[in-house]
Amino acid sequence: MEANTHFPDPSQVREELIQRYPTKVAKKRAKSIIVNDPQIIPEVQANVRTVPGIITQRGCSYAGCKGVVLGPTRDIVNIVHGPIGCSFYAWMTRRNQTRPESLEDANFIPYCFSTDMQEENIVFGGEKKLKQAIQEAYDLFHPKSIAIFSTCPVGLIGDDVHAASREMKEKLGDCNVFGFSCEGYRGVSQSAGHHIANNGVFKHMVGRDNTPSEGKFKLNLLGEYNIGGDAFEIERIFEKAGLTLISSFSGNSTVKQLENSHMADLNVIQCHRSINYMGDMMETKYGIPWMKVSFVGAESSAKSLRKIAEYFGDEELKAKVEAVIAEEMPKVKAIIDEILPRTKGKTAMLFVGGSRAHHYQDLFTELGMTTVAAGYEFAHRDDYEGREVLPNIKIDADSKNIEELKVVADPELYNPRKTEAELEALKEKGLEINGYEGMMKQMTKKSLVVDDLSHYESEKLIEIYKPDIFCAGIKEKYVVQKMGVPLKQLHSYDYGGPYTGFEGAVNFYKDIDRMVNNPVWKLIKAPWEKAGNGAALEATYVTQ
Amino acid sequence: MLLRHTTKEVKEREGLTINPAKTCQPIGAMYAALGVHGCLPHSHGSQGCCSYHRSTLTRHYKEPVMAATSSFTEGASVFGGQANLLAAIETIFSVYDPDIIAVHSTCLSETIGDDLQQITRKARDDGKIPEGKHVIFASTPSFIGSHVTGYANMVAGIADQFAVSTGSKKNQINIIAGWMEPSDMREIKRLSKELGVNIVLFPDTSDVLDAPQTGTHVFYPKGGTTVAELQSTGDSLSSLALGSISAEPAAIALEKKCKVPFETLDMPIGLRATDRFIMALSKAGNVTVPDEITADRGRLVDVIADMEQYLYGKRVALFGDPDQIIPLTEFLLDLNMKPVHIVSGTPGQRFEKQMRQILDERSPETKFKNGIGADMFLLHQWMKNEPVDLLIGNTYGKYMARDEDVPFIRFGFPILDRIGHSYFPSVGYSGGLRLVEKILTAILDRQDRDALEEKFELVM
């Protein structure tokens, strides 16, 4: 891609971002602030500890495990073992929508469950209270599954949530109870929690139900959490194209779907960071290949559909996919033609998540806008540089603490969906199987890539670049807007969405158009504050 | 049905809290510290705590909420958090340059036994705190009390660590704000000015969490009680603590350290709690109440009298924080309404004692419960058994309100889906007027919605 000549000198920007830090901090941060070159991808320091005292966007392992991965499945009772706060803060705040089929179907998403640990539980141990809580949840709701999430003190006082879960599972008989050691201090961000969640779902859920399902083209959608209804839109498109969704991980999903997910013939991965472990483990154990897709952006959605059709290699499916694209695209095109003149040439910055900062760039490209700087909150080097760097990533002490499951082929259920030769043929057609090229190849030369952006750096970037829109989360929202720059939340979508698929793209175009062209940004200064206007002039008039 | 699994039958629970009517201490400490000018709250624990607290406060205020964290990892959790906090103090002063860092603990740092007093002293000894700057702290373990306790602990810490007694008294009264909104703090200051009493209000989040749009992000907004004001509280004539749970501990700390006598009052929510506040402040400041305030009071009484038919006997369920719902319950009774179910997640015997005083004579059959087991699940079950005409509580109440088809008024913390609480007070006579307006609007809108065509009223 061509370099954008309007950029300020990025290496100078980098110096400016770090100059105020104490020497050691500056040295560390410098490795995470990189001037991009899509041809020769430079190394980005990522997934390392945040310096204490730095105002970071990051959260904790518990947030990644319970909040992100397990939260969206509607019929699990998720009990948070700990003091009340952790469960309270994760109570519906991620907007995982779900649509139970009938009033009789279970839906625990609007509920918040906690053992509400008190001082005596910290001193004398909380396992007894936890088991009591599991029993009470079972007696009240009779759920298919109960999941237990450990918060910080649980690991320190030595409560064994796994043993307690096993005991209760045995006692209850018809309820699958399992625990997660996702204490907030594990790892360096939410990312550790994603991995822990993947391990738990793989161990305790996937593969429990071998019922073969109907459908010719069966797939799972991994790393889609149905924020703002994103999964609903993808479901709509899949259905139209004749694709059978066995399970999503985990937006709008159920226990049964997850347990049956190994019966699918393809895993497509939307959010690489949070769920790639699952893709790899299911491939090893069951022989299901995975493929990176993105349904963020109309073009990307079309491309992803074509990739899926190519994978299944069925001419009828390919034709149907083309028909769907041909039907959907003109509606998208009509809107973009209307909006483009108002958004073209504007600039965006994206600092969010472990995947979104990459894929939302596609939507901005469709709007004719340039991404001048981007970075993730909790991603790893492979999300920036592509999976080919995986063998070179050093495993540090913080990553070592996260269990790496030893997965082998299942003696009965392993069934390679494609032969080696078929996979080779697909690769030759340009289909990347089990691969992801990362964010940086797609970004322009000399754009800035910053991992784990701090508050201080974000204010500096805004001062220097004056972007037309900044994308981040709720903690950044009003800080950035106070600076007169609209901020689009890409965790909660500012309570809008969906933004995936064709209809989602249209929603996004309209929202961005509205935000960057909102007249309110021109009303910030009072008339008397504007130069050459106001009180002074009027005073002259009065004295005349 | 959103809460489709909530059963009508109430069963005692010992292990499981469902839909809590409280959250944890540190968020209260963070909120309190934002009411000190030039102060950066600091969460000594995992990153998640700080992130969750900032997010929740931001959603409630739709304003920047700046705070830092010790970013604990597994190593820090095993070997102690001292190194993290010392590093954090150094980083914060060089990058964010606050006048004060207000450190609060978390369940993690409390469980491993980090001693904030010792660590902050070490920071001073090691020269990590620049001349003229301050690091204060409060112990706020999440496994004791609630967010209200955390607020009270931080406010007490602020009083204890800043107040100085110089030996000569100043002609001023301390007003210690219980957990209230920036709008409420602004109204307390306005009322005091109208009365003509010199006050130091702390903490004070007005002009911090209701900052204007200027095109610039002011990291330390102009509001907040200043260090000089806080230091002077030790020389004040007396203190008024507005809230027995969230404000009194600071008044006790001031009395202990600087011998400032205090009186504890309810938060001035509703007619009679405001009466008591005005009486107490006029007495403490030795002033007579000006006619304007009497007229404000009269306007509130006038509206209650004019609209009494719509208020009479209406059954209300409410949940929230003790210092707010105690005076609110009294106010509902003064409006001739009937509070029937009340829960508050914050533990403590003061709640029961004060509720008994209010309810025993006028509504002995009212169900109320606080502390462990007093959650919204229980409240919802009570509502299913004995239905109500109105629900009052934080945003989470909207799920119950929708399921039970009951009018709903947002009041308390957090309010995530409406604005207004930061701008329009609930305290004082004007706050009372606002509450009555909200209650009437909710009730009358419902009457309009449900009225038969021939019974649809033009004038109400």
Side-chain angles (χ1 to χ4, degrees):
Chain A
M1 281 188 198
E2 276 177 44
N4 186 326
T5 46
H6 306 301
F7 291 176
D9 178 356
S11 47
Q12 221 173 316
V13 171
R14 187 167 176 250
E15 288 314 304
E16 220 169 305
L17 291 187
I18 60 172
Q19 65 179 3
R20 194 154 169 190
Y21 289 132
T23 323
K24 258 169 75 183
V25 181
K27 221 171 134 192
K28 183 167 185 183
R29 286 303 300 151
K31 295 181 197 156
S32 293
I33 303 170
I34 301 299
V35 180
N36 191 41
D37 181 347
Q39 256 76 50
I40 318 151
I41 301 282
E43 180 178 334
V44 182
Q45 173 183 261
N47 192 34
V48 296
R49 291 177 193 179
T50 302
V51 176
I54 287 288
I55 298 179
T56 172
Q57 300 183 318
R58 283 175 168 178
C60 65
S61 173
Y62 158 79
C65 182
K66 194 268 177 182
V68 174
V69 181
L70 270 296
T73 306
R74 65 174 164 264
D75 51 355
I76 306 181
V77 167
N78 287 324
I79 301 178
V80 180
H81 186 37
I84 197 68
C86 303
S87 195
F88 180 85
Y89 303 116
W91 187 9
M92 285 190 289
T93 45
R94 275 185 57 79
R95 299 190 70 230
N96 307 113
Q97 299 185 358
T98 201
R99 199 179 277 154
E101 278 166 29
S102 76
L103 255 180
E104 281 65 50
D105 279 350
N107 178 16
F108 298 107
I109 289 182
Y111 288 88
C112 170
F113 303 102
S114 169
T115 56
D116 191 4
M117 283 175 100
Q118 299 298 300
E119 192 168 22
E120 77 233 35
N121 309 125
I122 301 290
V123 176
F124 302 110
E127 278 182 43
K128 200 174 148 215
K129 191 171 192 187
L130 173 61
K131 285 187 257 183
Q132 179 67 25
I134 295 170
Q135 185 68 52
E136 286 168 4
Y138 179 79
D139 293 343
L140 273 167
F141 309 117
H142 299 282
K144 288 191 192 94
S145 275
I146 297 176
I148 310 302
F149 300 88
S150 307
T151 62
C152 289
V154 168
L156 298 172
I157 62 172
D159 273 4
D160 188 341
V161 299
H162 306 286
S165 300
R166 274 195 301 274
E167 187 188 321
M168 291 309 291
K169 181 180 174 176
E170 209 161 294
K171 185 179 168 198
L172 301 176
D174 63 350
C175 180
N176 187 14
V177 189
F178 46 92
F180 294 88
S181 290
C182 55
E183 288 87 350
Y185 56 75
R186 292 195 194 276
V188 300
S189 69
Q190 292 95 311
S191 175
H194 302 146
H195 194 168
I196 293 163
N198 276 234
N199 289 349
V201 171
F202 184 74
K203 261 200 290 197
H204 299 292
M205 300 183 82
V206 175
R208 277 168 60 91
D209 177 2
N210 296 333
T211 316
S213 45
E214 303 278 312
K216 206 166 161 194
F217 311 111
K218 292 178 286 191
L219 77 171
N220 298 313
L221 175 62
L222 272 56
E224 169 49 65
Y225 304 107
N226 203 21
I227 292 169
D230 278 353
F232 294 152
E233 167 65 1
I234 303 175
E235 285 172 18
R236 181 187 73 86
I237 296 169
F238 279 5
E239 204 178 312
K240 227 172 149 179
L243 297 163
T244 304
L245 181 66
I246 302 295
S247 184
S248 119
F249 286 64
S250 50
N252 195 33
S253 70
T254 63
V255 170
K256 193 172 162 48
Q257 288 166 357
L258 288 165
E259 290 181 345
N260 188 237
S261 59
H262 61 299
M263 304 308 280
D265 295 321
L266 171 66
N267 281 330
V268 291
I269 293 189
Q270 172 98 331
C271 172
H272 174 261
R273 181 66 268 135
S274 62
I275 207 89
N276 72 89
Y277 320 93
M278 184 63 72
D280 279 344
M281 292 189 291
M282 285 179 79
E283 147 108 282
T284 309
K285 188 166 177 182
Y286 303 108
I288 308 169
W290 66 264
M291 205 161 65
K292 181 74 184 73
V293 294
S294 167
F295 286 92
V296 181
E299 291 294 341
S300 314
S301 300
K303 198 173 145 196
S304 296
L305 282 176
R306 289 189 176 115
K307 275 163 79 173
I308 293 168
E310 191 65 54
Y311 169 87
F312 284 109
D314 181 274
E315 291 309 317
E316 214 174 294
L317 176 65
K318 284 186 198 172
K320 204 157 179 193
V321 157
E322 289 308 325
V324 170
I325 296 169
E327 191 191 327
E328 299 281 341
M329 273 306 205
K331 288 183 266 178
V332 177
K333 185 87 179 34
I335 303 288
I336 200 76
D337 285 347
E338 187 218 315
I339 288 174
L340 194 69
R342 293 192 294 270
T343 52
K344 201 176 169 169
K346 294 194 185 291
T347 56
M349 287 187 178
L350 300 90
F351 291 96
V352 63
S355 173
R356 292 178 189 273
H358 174 192
H359 297 312
Y360 276 79
Q361 293 186 27
D362 293 347
L363 279 164
F364 283 115
T365 305
E366 289 170 5
L367 284 163
M369 294 174 67
T370 308
T371 301
V372 290
Y376 299 120
E377 187 181 334
F378 46 73
H380 300 195
R381 276 184 63 198
D382 40 322
D383 304 293
Y384 286 104
E385 303 166 52
R387 274 177 78 93
E388 55 270 29
V389 301
L390 277 175
N392 309 325
I393 296 180
K394 272 191 255 129
I395 307 293
D396 62 11
D398 298 309
S399 305
K400 228 182 260 171
N401 295 331
I402 315 301
E403 188 187 13
E404 208 47 80
L405 290 186
K406 300 269 176 294
V407 182
V408 292
D410 189 283
E412 279 149 40
L413 295 169
Y414 181 77
N415 163 28
R417 305 317 200 256
K418 297 273 176 194
T419 64
E420 286 295 328
E422 282 170 330
L423 287 175
E424 268 314 306
L426 285 173
K427 268 177 207 164
E428 264 165 43
K429 282 185 183 160
L431 233 61
E432 211 182 351
I433 303 291
N434 306 355
Y436 173 43
E437 65 166 16
M439 171 207 276
M440 290 163 83
K441 283 195 191 94
Q442 202 186 318
M443 287 180 69
T444 53
K445 195 172 171 142
K446 289 196 176 172
S447 55
L448 205 65
V449 173
V450 186
D451 182 63
D452 185 21
L453 183 81
S454 76
H455 165 76
Y456 174 74
E457 291 155 7
S458 68
E459 287 213 5
K460 278 274 151 207
L461 282 182
I462 291 169
E463 276 169 27
I464 298 166
Y465 286 87
K466 299 186 175 54
D468 294 296
I469 196 158
F470 194 97
C471 300
I474 183 70
K475 299 192 292 291
E476 296 77 34
K477 169 98 184 169
Y478 304 102
V479 182
V480 172
Q481 297 206 154
K482 278 279 194 280
M483 299 175 83
V485 175
L487 185 142
K488 181 76 215 162
Q489 291 188 64
L490 288 186
H491 291 287
S492 72
Y493 302 168
D494 294 319
Y495 326 108
Y499 288 150
T500 52
F502 304 103
E503 289 182 2
V506 168
N507 290 338
F508 193 79
Y509 304 151
K510 287 179 178 169
D511 285 353
I512 297 302
D513 176 32
R514 186 198 72 224
M515 290 177 83
V516 299
N517 294 307
N518 195 307
V520 72
W521 305 114
K522 296 196 178 75
L523 297 174
I524 291 174
K525 290 286 168 219
W528 54 90
E529 288 178 310
K530 286 175 187 161
N533 193 358
L537 267 181
E538 224 150 293
T540 320
Y541 179 73
V542 171
T543 53
Q544 274 171 353
Chain B
M1 294 290 271
L2 290 157
L3 299 165
R4 56 181 62 188
H5 301 284
T6 303
T7 52
K8 194 171 171 185
E9 186 197 357
V10 180
K11 267 192 198 156
E12 185 90 3
R13 281 171 280 128
E14 283 167 12
L16 190 65
T17 292
I18 311 172
N19 303 348
K22 66 166 177 182
T23 181
C24 66
Q25 282 210 47
I27 193 170
M30 187 180 282
Y31 178 57
L34 289 166
V36 176
H37 181 72
C39 179
L40 186 71
H42 181 85
S43 166
H44 186 51
S46 296
Q47 276 160 194
C49 310
C50 188
S51 179
Y52 276 136
H53 304 146
R54 289 181 65 206
S55 298
T56 306
L57 288 168
T58 304
R59 290 182 186 115
H60 179 80
Y61 288 111
K62 318 237 178 280
E63 283 294 315
V65 173
M66 307 312 293
T69 163
S70 287
S71 291
F72 270 55
T73 56
E74 192 148 359
S77 308
V78 175
F79 300 114
Q82 174 169 305
N84 286 51
L85 185 49
L86 292 176
I89 289 171
E90 196 180 350
T91 310
I92 289 168
F93 278 124
S94 56
V95 183
Y96 301 108
D97 194 30
D99 295 333
I100 307 145
I101 302 174
V103 185
H104 61 260
S105 59
T106 57
C107 49
L108 170 55
S109 52
E110 289 286 339
T111 303
I112 63 176
D114 276 357
D115 178 348
L116 293 182
Q117 185 164 20
Q118 175 260 318
I119 301 174
T120 50
R121 195 183 298 138
K122 184 166 167 50
R124 181 153 310 275
D125 294 346
D126 292 357
K128 289 188 192 301
I129 306 174
E131 198 55 38
K133 305 271 181 176
H134 309 268
V135 177
I136 61 165
F137 62 89
S139 167
T140 53
S142 321
F143 44 77
I144 296 172
S146 75
H147 58 297
V148 183
T149 325
Y151 178 93
N153 286 342
M154 180 52 87
V155 180
I158 290 165
D160 187 46
Q161 291 163 71
F162 279 122
V164 184
S165 167
T166 62
S168 68
K169 284 282 177 194
K170 289 187 85 157
N171 183 23
Q172 65 181 27
I173 310 296
N174 301 325
I175 297 184
I176 301 160
W179 185 318
M180 53 174 81
E181 298 295 353
S183 52
D184 296 327
M185 296 177 183
R186 196 182 289 284
E187 179 64 7
I188 298 283
K189 288 191 289 188
R190 193 192 68 80
L191 279 169
S192 308
K193 203 171 166 189
E194 206 166 8
L195 269 173
V197 181
N198 282 332
I199 61 154
V200 175
L201 175 77
F202 75 94
D204 180 5
T205 57
S206 64
D207 285 319
V208 177
L209 288 165
D210 56 356
Q213 171 62 275
T214 60
T216 313
H217 172 232
V218 183
F219 198 107
Y220 302 105
K222 79 170 195 184
T225 317
T226 63
V227 170
E229 287 169 332
L230 288 168
Q231 286 168 337
S232 78
T233 56
D235 288 334
S236 296
L237 299 174
S238 64
S239 304
L240 294 182
L242 304 185
S244 62
I245 322 282
S246 55
E248 193 185 78
I252 294 172
L254 272 176
E255 188 193 43
K256 243 181 169 170
K257 187 177 180 190
C258 302
K259 312 231 164 359
V260 183
F262 73 91
E263 186 181 349
T264 302
L265 299 168
D266 284 328
M267 224 180 255
I269 291 170
L271 186 76
R272 288 205 281 174
T274 304
D275 286 350
R276 292 192 293 274
F277 169 68
I278 297 292
M279 294 277 281
L281 189 56
S282 62
K283 196 175 140 211
N286 198 22
V287 293
T288 50
V289 180
D291 293 345
E292 289 88 343
I293 289 181
T294 315
D296 275 345
R297 182 184 189 279
R299 267 183 280 276
L300 174 57
V301 178
D302 193 55
V303 169
I304 299 170
D306 293 348
M307 302 302 277
E308 61 82 29
Q309 72 188 90
Y310 301 105
L311 298 165
Y312 169 71
K314 287 287 184 299
R315 297 163 56 82
V316 187
L318 65 150
F319 65 95
D321 300 335
D323 287 339
Q324 277 130 23
I325 62 175
I326 289 167
L328 182 61
T329 301
E330 183 190 37
F331 189 42
L332 292 174
L333 288 169
D334 288 338
L335 295 175
N336 226 359
M337 299 177 80
K338 193 149 191 65
V340 286
H341 312 306
I342 305 169
V343 303
S344 176
T346 300
Q349 289 168 356
R350 293 286 279 275
F351 181 81
E352 182 168 354
K353 206 177 135 206
Q354 284 181 263
M355 277 297 184
R356 281 257 158 270
Q357 276 170 5
I358 294 168
L359 292 163
D360 268 2
E361 209 176 297
R362 294 205 273 172
S363 183
E365 65 279 18
T366 298
K367 278 203 182 91
F368 65 90
K369 187 176 167 106
N370 75 310
I372 294 287
D375 53 27
M376 281 186 228
F377 190 76
L378 176 69
L379 182 71
H380 195 177
Q381 290 180 315
W382 284 351
M383 283 165 63
K384 280 181 184 294
N385 284 288
E386 295 167 66
V388 295
D389 303 306
L390 182 66
L391 174 67
I392 302 180
N394 69 39
T395 285
Y396 283 99
K398 77 196 254 181
Y399 291 79
M400 296 185 276
R402 182 172 147 134
D403 276 3
E404 304 305 323
D405 195 20
V406 173
F408 174 49
I409 293 173
R410 286 158 183 83
F411 177 84
F413 176 84
I415 294 172
L416 308 169
D417 60 339
R418 296 291 189 274
I419 55 125
H421 44 280
S422 7
Y423 306 107
F424 309 109
S426 302
V427 301
Y429 301 118
S430 59
L433 203 51
R434 178 172 178 252
L435 285 172
V436 174
E437 189 213 358
K438 280 190 153 200
I439 291 170
L440 283 167
T441 302
I443 290 170
L444 296 178
D445 278 352
R446 177 58 54 120
Q447 186 179 321
D448 280 346
R449 191 197 80 175
D450 293 347
L452 297 172
E453 288 194 359
E454 65 273 26
K455 302 273 181 197
F456 192 63
E457 296 294 341
L458 175 70
V459 184
M460 293 168 104

